[in-house]
Amino acid sequence: MLDIKITRAETLKEKPADETKLGFGKIFTDHMFLMDYDAGVGWHDARIEPYHPFSIAPGCVILHYAQEVFEGLKAYRTADNTIQLFRPECNAKRFQDSCERLCIPAFPEDDFVESIKALVEVEKDWVPHTDGASLYIRPFIFATMEQLGVHASSSYTYCVILSPSGAYYATGLAPVRIYVEDEYIRAAPGLTGFAKCGGNYAASIKSGELAEELGFSQVLWLDGVEHKYVEEVGSMNIFFKISGKIYTAACVGTVLPGVTRRSIIELCKDWGYEVIEGKLAIEDVMKAGHDGTLEEIFGSGTAAVVTPVKELKYEDDTVTIGDGSIGELTQKLYDTMTGMQWGKIEDNKGWITPVCKG
Ligand code: COI
């Protein structure tokens, strides 16, 4: 059990008046959770403080070499005002795996879940009441040592911040257009693709911006070696339903092991679908798009939930999926995931962790 010192903000911010216009990750709550690490001491000083800027030295490791990891999960409000989390223990485990890859001292899994529960309880009034809106939770660790040599830092800060948010895409659940990136790559064997670290996202921004300029929501990354096999999309894993079977890239080091991804795989298997985690060539996806066997494409992620894809552009070729509207399985997955998360359908999987009454 953590011994958490709580210092409450003297004045509280005004809560958003219209929860249908929150956007994603733009508003932050009144408090944050903090803990520090020092070599020889370990993780110490668990505390909740008013939300405030950091003071960091210009020579600090994070600013030069991006020694940082993060997570993303959400707190949901049910109709009876229970505030609950979705599989936080999976995020805790992935956080540890990311720490290991970035040479950051492991953050204990129990402390991860406890810190989130404690902060969410303090901020329970910030959990939105509106359908489709939730409290996005962003835990992260960054290196705080002042040093320009490329070495692991000996000190770190763990922090959790909260942001009441709506849909990740401005278009909500409307199907998105995706641009297949054929020049830049996101990951390659031996690199950090499986870790949730800021560096992966920094390297992806250029492609994302270029795709947006062309009117696409995000890019679909191909594998970094042959530029041939589909891997993931900017902020979500991706699934293809072809001739009744579900395909997604295997988590073999270059793909983020998404919590929503694994939940979707489990649900699809429960519903009798064959799910193939492995290599799927973009050429085969495009071919299926043209011969009518590509039935659905959808992305999955904490922020993205389940996002339908209506169009893929690869080199000079474009395919539209079905009639461009949300597919039947995509809709069923969206309804099931959000149903469980918002407590509208029974959690028969043990995926829900209640936090408190709000
Ligand atoms: C999430 O889905 O929680 C993410 O972290 C994706 C993203 C917004 C970077």
Side-chain angles (χ1 to χ4, degrees):
M1 272 285 272
L2 290 172
D3 179 15
I4 305 170
K5 182 173 173 232
I6 302 180
T7 309
R8 292 195 181 258
E10 279 174 16
T11 50
L12 300 181
K13 298 175 192 170
E14 220 167 278
K15 310 261 180 324
D18 184 353
E19 288 183 346
T20 63
K21 295 200 172 68
L22 292 171
F24 175 79
K26 294 185 177 146
I27 301 163
F28 295 92
T29 67
D30 295 300
H31 297 88
M32 64 209 268
F33 184 99
L34 290 162
M35 224 166 152
D36 298 309
Y37 177 92
D38 287 285
V41 182
W43 289 105
H44 62 89
D45 278 325
R47 59 203 187 275
I48 292 174
E49 292 181 355
Y51 184 90
H52 63 77
F54 292 116
S55 161
I56 45 174
C60 188
V61 173
I62 176 62
L63 297 179
H64 301 272
Y65 307 126
Q67 200 190 4
E68 183 265 3
V69 293
F70 71 97
E71 268 303 323
L73 59 164
K74 287 173 174 171
Y76 310 86
R77 181 185 295 277
T78 68
D80 74 349
N81 278 319
T82 302
I83 309 295
Q84 57 189 32
L85 307 173
F86 184 77
R87 309 187 81 177
E89 65 288 347
C90 297
N91 297 87
K93 168 72 175 72
R94 187 173 63 184
F95 200 49
Q96 284 220 334
D97 295 343
S98 301
C99 284
E100 203 280 325
R101 180 62 182 86
L102 272 285
C103 242
I104 293 173
F107 192 79
E109 292 178 39
D110 289 349
D111 293 353
F112 177 93
V113 176
E114 196 185 335
S115 64
I116 288 168
K117 283 182 164 178
L119 183 64
V120 167
E121 185 155 9
V122 165
E123 300 289 58
K124 62 186 179 190
D125 292 346
W126 280 94
V127 182
H129 294 74
T130 305
D131 236 19
S134 56
L135 188 64
Y136 186 75
I137 305 167
R138 173 52 63 86
F140 58 106
I141 296 178
F142 61 95
T144 54
M145 186 183 184
E146 244 182 315
Q147 126 185 312
L148 294 184
V150 186
H151 299 288
S153 173
S154 61
S155 59
Y156 299 86
T157 293
Y158 167 72
C159 181
V160 186
I161 53 175
L162 306 174
S163 173
S165 293
Y168 184 72
Y169 296 104
T171 46
L173 187 60
V176 297
R177 301 172 68 217
I178 299 285
Y179 182 88
V180 182
E181 175 58 72
D182 54 6
E183 183 184 357
Y184 300 108
I185 58 166
R186 174 192 174 274
L191 278 171
T192 53
F194 68 90
K196 209 157 173 63
C197 60
N200 286 344
Y201 293 83
S204 77
I205 287 175
K206 183 169 182 172
S207 299
E209 297 291 307
L210 291 174
E212 268 180 38
E213 273 170 32
L214 296 173
F216 295 87
S217 295
Q218 283 196 349
V219 298
L220 167 58
W221 297 103
L222 300 179
D223 75 279
V225 177
E226 297 180 71
H227 292 216
K228 190 172 167 189
Y229 301 104
V230 296
E231 292 213 320
E232 68 181 84
V233 175
S235 64
M236 53 189 193
N237 295 111
I238 187 139
F239 291 80
F240 301 84
K241 180 165 175 265
I242 302 175
S243 300
K245 294 181 186 167
I246 318 293
Y247 295 82
T248 195
C251 287
V252 286
T254 52
V255 170
L256 190 81
V259 177
T260 314
R261 173 190 179 279
R262 67 189 275 185
S263 308
I264 281 177
I265 291 174
E266 220 177 299
L267 288 173
C268 286
K269 286 184 178 170
D270 287 354
W271 297 338
Y273 286 101
E274 186 179 340
V275 182
I276 299 140
E277 293 178 72
K279 287 184 169 181
L280 175 65
I282 184 65
E283 299 282 3
D284 291 335
V285 174
M286 300 306 280
K287 191 167 154 287
H290 290 301
D291 69 19
T293 53
L294 175 58
E295 294 156 0
E296 295 181 41
I297 305 182
F298 53 90
S300 71
T302 298
V305 195
V306 176
T307 297
V309 176
K310 68 174 176 190
E311 186 186 307
L312 267 193
K313 176 169 166 52
Y314 173 54
E315 296 179 335
D316 293 331
D317 195 11
T318 299
V319 293
T320 304
I321 295 91
D323 63 1
S325 61
I326 185 166
E328 201 181 316
L329 174 63
T330 310
Q331 184 74 59
K332 186 173 173 189
L333 284 165
Y334 179 85
D335 292 343
T336 308
M337 291 292 294
T338 55
M340 269 195 215
Q341 290 165 339
W342 271 275
K344 290 179 190 164
I345 59 175
E346 197 196 335
D347 166 30
N348 54 7
K349 308 290 273 178
W351 286 347
I352 295 299
T353 298
V355 175
C356 59
K357 279 284 184 189

Short mmCIF file of all heavy atoms in Angstrom, two decimals, residues 94-138:
data_model
loop_
_atom_site.label_atom_id
_atom_site.label_comp_id
_atom_site.label_asym_id
_atom_site.label_seq_id
_atom_site.Cartn_x
_atom_site.Cartn_y
_atom_site.Cartn_z
N ARG A 94 2.08 -3.51 -19.12
CA ARG A 94 2.72 -2.95 -20.31
C ARG A 94 3.66 -1.80 -19.94
O ARG A 94 4.72 -1.63 -20.54
CB ARG A 94 1.65 -2.47 -21.30
CG ARG A 94 2.22 -2.02 -22.62
CD ARG A 94 1.16 -1.71 -23.63
NE ARG A 94 0.31 -0.60 -23.21
CZ ARG A 94 -0.75 -0.18 -23.88
NH1 ARG A 94 -1.12 -0.80 -25.00
NH2 ARG A 94 -1.48 0.85 -23.46
N PHE A 95 3.26 -1.05 -18.91
CA PHE A 95 4.10 0.06 -18.42
C PHE A 95 5.46 -0.49 -17.98
O PHE A 95 6.51 0.07 -18.28
CB PHE A 95 3.37 0.73 -17.26
CG PHE A 95 3.81 2.13 -16.92
CD1 PHE A 95 3.94 3.10 -17.89
CD2 PHE A 95 4.04 2.49 -15.59
CE1 PHE A 95 4.31 4.41 -17.57
CE2 PHE A 95 4.40 3.79 -15.25
CZ PHE A 95 4.54 4.74 -16.24
N GLN A 96 5.41 -1.62 -17.27
CA GLN A 96 6.66 -2.24 -16.82
C GLN A 96 7.51 -2.68 -18.00
O GLN A 96 8.72 -2.50 -18.02
CB GLN A 96 6.35 -3.47 -15.96
CG GLN A 96 5.87 -3.14 -14.58
CD GLN A 96 6.45 -4.07 -13.53
OE1 GLN A 96 6.79 -5.21 -13.84
NE2 GLN A 96 6.57 -3.61 -12.31
N ASP A 97 6.86 -3.26 -19.00
CA ASP A 97 7.61 -3.71 -20.19
C ASP A 97 8.25 -2.52 -20.91
O ASP A 97 9.37 -2.60 -21.39
CB ASP A 97 6.68 -4.46 -21.16
CG ASP A 97 6.16 -5.76 -20.55
OD1 ASP A 97 6.75 -6.23 -19.56
OD2 ASP A 97 5.15 -6.29 -21.06
N SER A 98 7.49 -1.41 -20.98
CA SER A 98 8.05 -0.21 -21.62
C SER A 98 9.24 0.31 -20.81
O SER A 98 10.28 0.67 -21.37
CB SER A 98 6.98 0.89 -21.71
OG SER A 98 5.88 0.46 -22.46
N CYS A 99 9.09 0.33 -19.48
CA CYS A 99 10.19 0.79 -18.60
C CYS A 99 11.44 -0.04 -18.86
O CYS A 99 12.54 0.49 -19.01
CB CYS A 99 9.81 0.65 -17.12
SG CYS A 99 8.68 1.89 -16.53
N GLU A 100 11.25 -1.34 -18.94
CA GLU A 100 12.40 -2.24 -19.11
C GLU A 100 13.14 -1.89 -20.39
O GLU A 100 14.36 -1.81 -20.41
CB GLU A 100 11.87 -3.68 -19.12
CG GLU A 100 12.90 -4.74 -18.73
CD GLU A 100 13.83 -5.09 -19.87
OE1 GLU A 100 13.37 -5.10 -21.04
OE2 GLU A 100 15.03 -5.35 -19.63
N ARG A 101 12.41 -1.64 -21.48
CA ARG A 101 13.05 -1.36 -22.78
C ARG A 101 13.77 -0.01 -22.77
O ARG A 101 14.78 0.16 -23.44
CB ARG A 101 11.97 -1.38 -23.90
CG ARG A 101 12.51 -1.12 -25.28
CD ARG A 101 13.53 -2.18 -25.70
NE ARG A 101 14.09 -1.92 -27.03
CZ ARG A 101 15.13 -1.13 -27.25
NH1 ARG A 101 15.73 -0.52 -26.24
NH2 ARG A 101 15.59 -0.96 -28.48
N LEU A 102 13.22 0.94 -21.99
CA LEU A 102 13.81 2.29 -21.97
C LEU A 102 14.81 2.45 -20.82
O LEU A 102 15.24 3.56 -20.53
CB LEU A 102 12.69 3.34 -21.85
CG LEU A 102 12.05 3.87 -23.15
CD1 LEU A 102 12.99 4.83 -23.87
CD2 LEU A 102 11.62 2.78 -24.10
N CYS A 103 15.12 1.33 -20.15
CA CYS A 103 16.11 1.37 -19.06
C CYS A 103 15.65 2.24 -17.89
O CYS A 103 16.46 2.91 -17.25
CB CYS A 103 17.43 1.89 -19.60
SG CYS A 103 18.71 0.70 -19.45
N ILE A 104 14.36 2.24 -17.67
CA ILE A 104 13.76 3.01 -16.56
C ILE A 104 13.43 2.01 -15.46
O ILE A 104 12.91 0.93 -15.76
CB ILE A 104 12.48 3.74 -17.05
CG1 ILE A 104 12.86 4.83 -18.08
CG2 ILE A 104 11.69 4.33 -15.90
CD1 ILE A 104 11.68 5.50 -18.75
N PRO A 105 13.73 2.32 -14.20
CA PRO A 105 13.42 1.36 -13.13
C PRO A 105 11.94 1.01 -13.11
O PRO A 105 11.09 1.90 -13.20
CB PRO A 105 13.82 2.09 -11.84
CG PRO A 105 14.22 3.46 -12.23
CD PRO A 105 14.33 3.57 -13.71
N ALA A 106 11.65 -0.27 -13.02
CA ALA A 106 10.26 -0.74 -13.09
C ALA A 106 9.39 -0.02 -12.07
O ALA A 106 9.80 0.17 -10.92
CB ALA A 106 10.21 -2.23 -12.84
N PHE A 107 8.20 0.35 -12.49
CA PHE A 107 7.25 0.95 -11.55
C PHE A 107 6.32 -0.18 -11.11
O PHE A 107 5.67 -0.81 -11.97
CB PHE A 107 6.47 2.09 -12.22
CG PHE A 107 5.71 2.90 -11.24
CD1 PHE A 107 6.36 3.86 -10.47
CD2 PHE A 107 4.36 2.68 -11.01
CE1 PHE A 107 5.67 4.60 -9.52
CE2 PHE A 107 3.66 3.41 -10.06
CZ PHE A 107 4.32 4.38 -9.31
N PRO A 108 6.22 -0.48 -9.80
CA PRO A 108 5.44 -1.65 -9.35
C PRO A 108 3.99 -1.61 -9.87
O PRO A 108 3.32 -0.58 -9.82
CB PRO A 108 5.48 -1.54 -7.83
CG PRO A 108 6.70 -0.71 -7.54
CD PRO A 108 6.84 0.25 -8.69
N GLU A 109 3.52 -2.77 -10.37
CA GLU A 109 2.19 -2.83 -10.99
C GLU A 109 1.09 -2.43 -10.01
O GLU A 109 0.15 -1.71 -10.37
CB GLU A 109 1.95 -4.23 -11.56
CG GLU A 109 2.86 -4.52 -12.75
CD GLU A 109 2.71 -5.91 -13.32
OE1 GLU A 109 1.57 -6.42 -13.39
OE2 GLU A 109 3.73 -6.49 -13.71
N ASP A 110 1.20 -2.91 -8.75
CA ASP A 110 0.15 -2.57 -7.77
C ASP A 110 0.12 -1.07 -7.50
O ASP A 110 -0.95 -0.47 -7.33
CB ASP A 110 0.39 -3.30 -6.45
CG ASP A 110 0.12 -4.79 -6.58
OD1 ASP A 110 -0.44 -5.20 -7.61
OD2 ASP A 110 0.50 -5.54 -5.66
N ASP A 111 1.31 -0.48 -7.45
CA ASP A 111 1.37 0.97 -7.18
C ASP A 111 0.77 1.76 -8.34
O ASP A 111 0.15 2.81 -8.14
CB ASP A 111 2.82 1.43 -6.96
CG ASP A 111 3.41 0.84 -5.68
OD1 ASP A 111 2.64 0.21 -4.92
OD2 ASP A 111 4.61 1.00 -5.45
N PHE A 112 0.96 1.24 -9.54
CA PHE A 112 0.40 1.89 -10.74
C PHE A 112 -1.12 1.97 -10.60
O PHE A 112 -1.74 3.03 -10.70
CB PHE A 112 0.81 1.08 -11.98
CG PHE A 112 0.25 1.56 -13.29
CD1 PHE A 112 0.95 2.46 -14.08
CD2 PHE A 112 -0.98 1.10 -13.76
CE1 PHE A 112 0.45 2.89 -15.30
CE2 PHE A 112 -1.49 1.52 -14.97
CZ PHE A 112 -0.78 2.42 -15.74
N VAL A 113 -1.74 0.81 -10.30
CA VAL A 113 -3.21 0.78 -10.20
C VAL A 113 -3.67 1.62 -9.01
O VAL A 113 -4.63 2.38 -9.10
CB VAL A 113 -3.72 -0.69 -10.11
CG1 VAL A 113 -5.23 -0.72 -9.92
CG2 VAL A 113 -3.32 -1.47 -11.37
N GLU A 114 -2.94 1.50 -7.89
CA GLU A 114 -3.35 2.24 -6.69
C GLU A 114 -3.26 3.76 -6.92
O GLU A 114 -4.14 4.52 -6.49
CB GLU A 114 -2.44 1.82 -5.52
CG GLU A 114 -3.01 2.21 -4.18
CD GLU A 114 -2.07 1.91 -3.03
OE1 GLU A 114 -1.20 1.00 -3.16
OE2 GLU A 114 -2.18 2.60 -2.00
N SER A 115 -2.21 4.19 -7.59
CA SER A 115 -2.05 5.64 -7.81
C SER A 115 -3.20 6.17 -8.66
O SER A 115 -3.72 7.27 -8.42
CB SER A 115 -0.70 5.93 -8.49
OG SER A 115 -0.65 5.36 -9.78
N ILE A 116 -3.59 5.39 -9.65
CA ILE A 116 -4.68 5.82 -10.55
C ILE A 116 -6.00 5.87 -9.79
O ILE A 116 -6.75 6.84 -9.88
CB ILE A 116 -4.74 4.90 -11.77
CG1 ILE A 116 -3.54 5.21 -12.66
CG2 ILE A 116 -6.06 5.05 -12.53
CD1 ILE A 116 -3.30 4.20 -13.75
N LYS A 117 -6.24 4.81 -9.01
CA LYS A 117 -7.51 4.80 -8.24
C LYS A 117 -7.56 5.99 -7.30
O LYS A 117 -8.60 6.65 -7.17
CB LYS A 117 -7.61 3.51 -7.43
CG LYS A 117 -7.99 2.28 -8.24
CD LYS A 117 -8.08 1.13 -7.27
CE LYS A 117 -8.79 -0.06 -7.81
NZ LYS A 117 -8.80 -1.18 -6.87
N ALA A 118 -6.44 6.26 -6.62
CA ALA A 118 -6.44 7.35 -5.63
C ALA A 118 -6.69 8.69 -6.31
O ALA A 118 -7.50 9.50 -5.83
CB ALA A 118 -5.09 7.37 -4.90
N LEU A 119 -6.04 8.93 -7.46
CA LEU A 119 -6.21 10.22 -8.13
C LEU A 119 -7.63 10.35 -8.71
O LEU A 119 -8.27 11.40 -8.59
CB LEU A 119 -5.16 10.39 -9.24
CG LEU A 119 -5.19 11.73 -9.96
CD1 LEU A 119 -4.86 12.89 -9.01
CD2 LEU A 119 -4.22 11.75 -11.14
N VAL A 120 -8.11 9.26 -9.30
CA VAL A 120 -9.46 9.31 -9.89
C VAL A 120 -10.49 9.57 -8.79
O VAL A 120 -11.45 10.32 -8.98
CB VAL A 120 -9.77 8.01 -10.68
CG1 VAL A 120 -11.25 7.92 -11.02
CG2 VAL A 120 -8.92 7.95 -11.95
N GLU A 121 -10.28 8.98 -7.62
CA GLU A 121 -11.24 9.20 -6.53
C GLU A 121 -11.24 10.68 -6.12
O GLU A 121 -12.30 11.28 -5.94
CB GLU A 121 -10.92 8.29 -5.34
CG GLU A 121 -11.97 8.43 -4.27
CD GLU A 121 -12.12 7.23 -3.36
OE1 GLU A 121 -11.29 6.30 -3.45
OE2 GLU A 121 -13.08 7.23 -2.57
N VAL A 122 -10.05 11.28 -6.02
CA VAL A 122 -9.98 12.70 -5.67
C VAL A 122 -10.68 13.55 -6.74
O VAL A 122 -11.33 14.54 -6.44
CB VAL A 122 -8.49 13.13 -5.52
CG1 VAL A 122 -8.35 14.65 -5.51
CG2 VAL A 122 -7.89 12.54 -4.25
N GLU A 123 -10.57 13.11 -8.00
CA GLU A 123 -11.11 13.90 -9.13
C GLU A 123 -12.42 13.33 -9.69
O GLU A 123 -12.77 13.61 -10.85
CB GLU A 123 -10.06 13.93 -10.26
CG GLU A 123 -8.73 14.56 -9.87
CD GLU A 123 -8.82 16.06 -9.69
OE1 GLU A 123 -9.62 16.50 -8.85
OE2 GLU A 123 -8.09 16.78 -10.38
N LYS A 124 -13.13 12.57 -8.86
CA LYS A 124 -14.32 11.87 -9.40
C LYS A 124 -15.35 12.80 -10.03
O LYS A 124 -16.05 12.41 -10.97
CB LYS A 124 -14.95 10.98 -8.33
CG LYS A 124 -15.47 11.72 -7.13
CD LYS A 124 -15.93 10.76 -6.06
CE LYS A 124 -16.43 11.55 -4.87
NZ LYS A 124 -16.67 10.73 -3.70
N ASP A 125 -15.42 14.05 -9.54
CA ASP A 125 -16.41 14.98 -10.11
C ASP A 125 -16.06 15.36 -11.55
O ASP A 125 -16.89 15.95 -12.26
CB ASP A 125 -16.49 16.26 -9.27
CG ASP A 125 -17.09 15.97 -7.90
OD1 ASP A 125 -17.67 14.88 -7.72
OD2 ASP A 125 -16.95 16.83 -7.00
N TRP A 126 -14.82 15.06 -11.96
CA TRP A 126 -14.40 15.38 -13.34
C TRP A 126 -14.76 14.26 -14.32
O TRP A 126 -14.59 14.42 -15.53
CB TRP A 126 -12.89 15.58 -13.38
CG TRP A 126 -12.43 16.93 -12.93
CD1 TRP A 126 -12.03 17.27 -11.67
CD2 TRP A 126 -12.30 18.11 -13.72
NE1 TRP A 126 -11.66 18.59 -11.63
CE2 TRP A 126 -11.82 19.13 -12.88
CE3 TRP A 126 -12.54 18.42 -15.05
CZ2 TRP A 126 -11.56 20.43 -13.33
CZ3 TRP A 126 -12.29 19.71 -15.50
CH2 TRP A 126 -11.81 20.70 -14.64
N VAL A 127 -15.24 13.12 -13.81
CA VAL A 127 -15.58 12.04 -14.75
C VAL A 127 -16.87 12.43 -15.46
O VAL A 127 -17.90 12.62 -14.80
CB VAL A 127 -15.74 10.68 -14.03
CG1 VAL A 127 -16.05 9.58 -15.05
CG2 VAL A 127 -14.48 10.33 -13.24
N PRO A 128 -16.84 12.60 -16.77
CA PRO A 128 -18.01 13.11 -17.48
C PRO A 128 -19.27 12.25 -17.28
O PRO A 128 -19.18 11.06 -17.03
CB PRO A 128 -17.56 13.07 -18.96
CG PRO A 128 -16.09 13.16 -18.91
CD PRO A 128 -15.69 12.41 -17.67
N HIS A 129 -20.41 12.93 -17.40
CA HIS A 129 -21.72 12.27 -17.26
C HIS A 129 -22.32 11.93 -18.61
O HIS A 129 -23.36 11.31 -18.70
CB HIS A 129 -22.70 13.20 -16.53
CG HIS A 129 -22.32 13.48 -15.11
ND1 HIS A 129 -21.28 14.32 -14.77
CD2 HIS A 129 -22.83 13.02 -13.94
CE1 HIS A 129 -21.18 14.36 -13.45
NE2 HIS A 129 -22.09 13.59 -12.92
N THR A 130 -21.68 12.41 -19.67
CA THR A 130 -22.28 12.31 -21.01
C THR A 130 -21.82 11.05 -21.73
O THR A 130 -20.65 10.67 -21.65
CB THR A 130 -21.84 13.55 -21.83
OG1 THR A 130 -22.23 14.69 -21.08
CG2 THR A 130 -22.48 13.59 -23.19
N ASP A 131 -22.74 10.43 -22.44
CA ASP A 131 -22.45 9.23 -23.23
C ASP A 131 -21.25 9.47 -24.16
O ASP A 131 -21.19 10.50 -24.83
CB ASP A 131 -23.67 8.92 -24.12
CG ASP A 131 -24.16 7.52 -23.88
OD1 ASP A 131 -23.81 6.95 -22.82
OD2 ASP A 131 -24.89 7.00 -24.75
N GLY A 132 -20.32 8.54 -24.17
CA GLY A 132 -19.18 8.65 -25.08
C GLY A 132 -18.03 9.47 -24.52
O GLY A 132 -16.95 9.48 -25.09
N ALA A 133 -18.25 10.17 -23.42
CA ALA A 133 -17.17 10.95 -22.82
C ALA A 133 -16.67 10.23 -21.57
O ALA A 133 -17.44 9.56 -20.88
CB ALA A 133 -17.65 12.35 -22.47
N SER A 134 -15.38 10.35 -21.28
CA SER A 134 -14.80 9.67 -20.13
C SER A 134 -13.62 10.50 -19.62
O SER A 134 -13.28 11.54 -20.20
CB SER A 134 -14.32 8.27 -20.53
OG SER A 134 -13.41 8.38 -21.60
N LEU A 135 -13.01 10.03 -18.54
CA LEU A 135 -11.85 10.74 -18.00
C LEU A 135 -10.60 10.00 -18.47
O LEU A 135 -10.33 8.88 -18.01
CB LEU A 135 -11.93 10.77 -16.47
CG LEU A 135 -10.89 11.64 -15.77
CD1 LEU A 135 -11.08 13.11 -16.13
CD2 LEU A 135 -10.96 11.46 -14.25
N TYR A 136 -9.89 10.60 -19.42
CA TYR A 136 -8.67 9.95 -19.95
C TYR A 136 -7.56 10.07 -18.90
O TYR A 136 -7.35 11.14 -18.30
CB TYR A 136 -8.25 10.62 -21.25
CG TYR A 136 -7.10 9.91 -21.92
CD1 TYR A 136 -7.29 8.71 -22.59
CD2 TYR A 136 -5.81 10.43 -21.86
CE1 TYR A 136 -6.23 8.04 -23.19
CE2 TYR A 136 -4.74 9.77 -22.46
CZ TYR A 136 -4.96 8.57 -23.12
OH TYR A 136 -3.90 7.92 -23.71
N ILE A 137 -6.86 8.97 -18.68
CA ILE A 137 -5.82 8.91 -17.64
C ILE A 137 -4.48 8.74 -18.32
O ILE A 137 -4.29 7.81 -19.10
CB ILE A 137 -6.10 7.71 -16.70
CG1 ILE A 137 -7.51 7.80 -16.12
CG2 ILE A 137 -5.04 7.63 -15.60
CD1 ILE A 137 -7.99 6.52 -15.44
N ARG A 138 -3.55 9.61 -18.05
CA ARG A 138 -2.24 9.53 -18.70
C ARG A 138 -1.13 9.42 -17.63
O ARG A 138 -0.66 10.40 -17.09
CB ARG A 138 -2.04 10.79 -19.55
CG ARG A 138 -0.68 10.97 -20.17
CD ARG A 138 -0.18 9.78 -20.96
NE ARG A 138 -0.93 9.40 -22.11
CZ ARG A 138 -0.82 9.90 -23.35
NH1 ARG A 138 0.04 10.86 -23.57
NH2 ARG A 138 -1.55 9.43 -24.35
#
